[in-house]
């Protein structure tokens, strides 16, 4: 077995569509041809939107597509204590602060006239203007049930690196992609690492879970590539390894729009009900 472990990490918040099928088949094919492992992770951290019936449908659709996974799937809802532990350690290092700002507050603060600056958008939407940052008492106990933001400047100081780099692998060639640390404050800002309505966040759990599953190669869509330097920063901060990444092309509809979960017309289940075969799906996504 070679040193190649990859994963498919769907959220059970709706039906899998052609874009998911492409991502899963590609990662699965890569693992099989490398003689490596293909793992499954159910990203059900958002308990407000995840449903057990969608999780069942994921297993069913993947099995129908001919995909098998090499270990028991990892479910994020079983890992809340790991997320709590990581958040506590970041809190103890003074790198987090609670934030009660709503999206509307952030939009209002970001569009307030200040030196003629336009609101800046990062991978998570509008860059947080830092309203709550100074209000935190560093000696306070870890706040439960509150949104927690990473103080980006402090995080960068704690890591002490001038840039964040990862290897992007496409068609057999490796490219090193780097983002200077000095861009992270302006272009990413103080991201949310735990939400008020559920513990943790995508960025936090993805790095912890990839490490827990010993993932060596992350295969996922180009739509997430703009967040990868955030993941590299979090990996450095938490002492986790950085895997190799392959961000694949996106499957679009006839109008060129990226497929979304609500795009039921392209749900795998719909194609199955219409009598299509797994090979038809492979052809439709260009595999
Ligand atoms: N749950 C994420 C999604 O469905 C996975 C992102 C990732 O692979 O890192 O987009």
């Amino acid at each position: 077995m070679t040193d190649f472990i990859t994963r498919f990490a769907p959220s059970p918040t709706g039906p899998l569509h052609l874009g998911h099928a492409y991502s899963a088949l590609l990662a699965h094919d890569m693992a099989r041809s490398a003689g490596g492992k293909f793992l499954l992770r159910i990203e059900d951290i958002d308990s407000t939107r995840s449903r057990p019936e969608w999780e069942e449908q994921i297993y069913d659709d993947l099995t129908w597509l001919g995909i098998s996974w090499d270990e028991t799937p990892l479910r994020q809802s079983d890992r809340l204590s790991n997320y709590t532990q990581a958040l506590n350690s970041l809190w103890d290092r003074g790198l987090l602060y609670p934030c009660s700002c709503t999206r509307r507050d952030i939009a209002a603060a970001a569009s307030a006239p200040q030196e003629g600056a336009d609101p800046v958008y990062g991978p998570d939407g509008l860059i947080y203007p830092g309203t709550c940052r100074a209000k935190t008492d560093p000696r306070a106990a870890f706040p439960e049930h509150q949104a927690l933001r990473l103080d980006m400047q402090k995080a960068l100081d704690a890591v002490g690196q001038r840039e964040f780099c990862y290897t992007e692998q496409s068609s057999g060639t490796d490219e090193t992609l780097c983002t200077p640390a000095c861009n992270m404050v302006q272009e990413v800002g103080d991201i949310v690492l735990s939400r008020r309505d559920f513990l943790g966040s995508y960025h936090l759990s993805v790095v912890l879970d990839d490490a827990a599953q010993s993932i060596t190669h992350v295969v996922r869509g180009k739509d997430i590539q703009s967040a990868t330097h955030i993941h590299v920063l979090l990996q450095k901060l938490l002492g986790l390894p950085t895997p190799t990444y392959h961000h694949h092309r996106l499957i679009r509809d006839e109008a060129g729009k990226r497929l979304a979960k609500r795009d039921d017309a392209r749900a795998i289940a719909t194609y199955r009900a219409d009598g299509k075969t797994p090979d038809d799906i492979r052809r439709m996504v260009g595999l």
Side-chain angles (χ1 to χ4, degrees):
M1 180 165 297
T2 61
D3 186 17
F4 187 105
I5 306 178
T6 192
R7 49 47 165 202
F8 176 57
S11 307
T13 54
L16 293 188
H17 55 56
L18 281 183
H20 296 107
Y22 175 61
S23 201
L25 286 166
L26 183 67
H28 186 255
D29 288 359
M30 285 170 80
R32 294 294 169 248
S33 73
K37 278 191 186 180
F38 173 83
L39 307 183
L40 193 56
R41 179 162 79 232
I42 302 298
E43 298 216 325
D44 60 352
I45 189 174
D46 182 351
S47 51
T48 62
R49 293 169 61 225
S50 298
R51 298 276 176 274
E53 52 275 28
W54 291 128
E55 184 177 333
E56 283 313 311
Q57 182 82 53
I58 288 170
Y59 300 136
D60 201 44
D61 283 344
L62 294 179
T63 304
W64 178 79
L65 281 168
I67 290 175
S68 57
W69 42 98
D70 295 308
E71 288 174 11
T72 308
L74 191 76
R75 297 172 74 241
Q76 291 188 327
S77 51
D78 293 332
R79 292 191 29 85
L80 299 186
S81 62
N82 301 79
Y83 308 147
T84 307
Q85 208 176 14
L87 288 166
N88 268 285
S89 94
L90 294 173
W91 176 264
D92 290 344
R93 291 161 71 189
L95 303 180
L96 301 180
Y97 62 89
C99 175
S100 52
C101 294
T102 61
R103 265 170 223 242
R104 193 183 298 178
D105 296 335
I106 297 170
S111 59
Q114 358 152 304
E115 296 153 28
D118 288 329
V120 183
Y121 287 86
D124 279 347
L126 265 177
I127 303 289
Y128 182 62
T131 327
C132 295
R133 197 185 296 131
K135 295 183 192 160
T136 310
D137 174 358
R139 293 155 308 174
F142 181 81
E144 308 270 347
H145 310 296
Q146 288 198 54
L148 297 175
R149 287 186 180 272
L150 180 71
D151 185 322
M152 185 55 81
Q153 187 58 61
K154 283 192 187 161
L156 294 173
D157 294 344
V159 171
Q161 275 192 210
R162 292 180 48 213
E163 54 183 11
F164 295 99
C165 302
Y166 64 92
T167 303
E168 175 73 21
Q169 200 167 67
S170 56
S171 13
T173 55
D174 286 357
E175 195 186 355
T176 304
L177 300 179
C178 297
T179 300
C182 59
N183 287 4
M184 301 284 281
V185 171
Q186 298 245 311
E187 292 174 10
V188 178
D190 294 355
I191 48 169
V192 171
L193 288 194
S194 190
R195 305 207 173 260
R196 192 165 54 90
D197 44 355
F198 61 90
L199 187 96
S201 71
Y202 163 63
H203 297 311
L204 181 78
S205 54
V206 77
V207 297
L208 290 170
D209 297 345
D210 281 337
Q213 291 187 293
S214 305
I215 300 302
T216 61
H217 291 74
V218 170
V219 178
R220 62 185 181 191
K222 275 203 184 298
D223 51 333
I224 306 173
Q225 185 159 14
S226 63
T228 304
H229 53 308
I230 301 178
H231 300 167
V232 179
L233 162 74
L234 291 175
Q235 286 152 358
K236 301 289 175 219
L237 212 48
L238 296 163
L240 305 171
T242 295
T244 295
Y245 288 85
H246 170 66
H247 293 97
H248 60 68
R249 67 183 164 87
L250 301 178
I251 304 294
R252 299 179 183 277
D253 65 14
E254 299 75 24
K257 241 179 75 242
R258 183 160 65 85
L259 300 184
K261 277 259 164 62
R262 50 194 175 279
D263 221 335
D264 281 10
R266 287 166 183 86
I268 303 306
T270 310
Y271 289 113
R272 286 174 68 179
D274 286 352
K276 293 273 189 282
T277 67
D279 279 342
D280 293 331
I281 303 288
R282 278 188 173 269
R283 264 192 298 277
M284 285 158 79
V285 297
L287 280 173

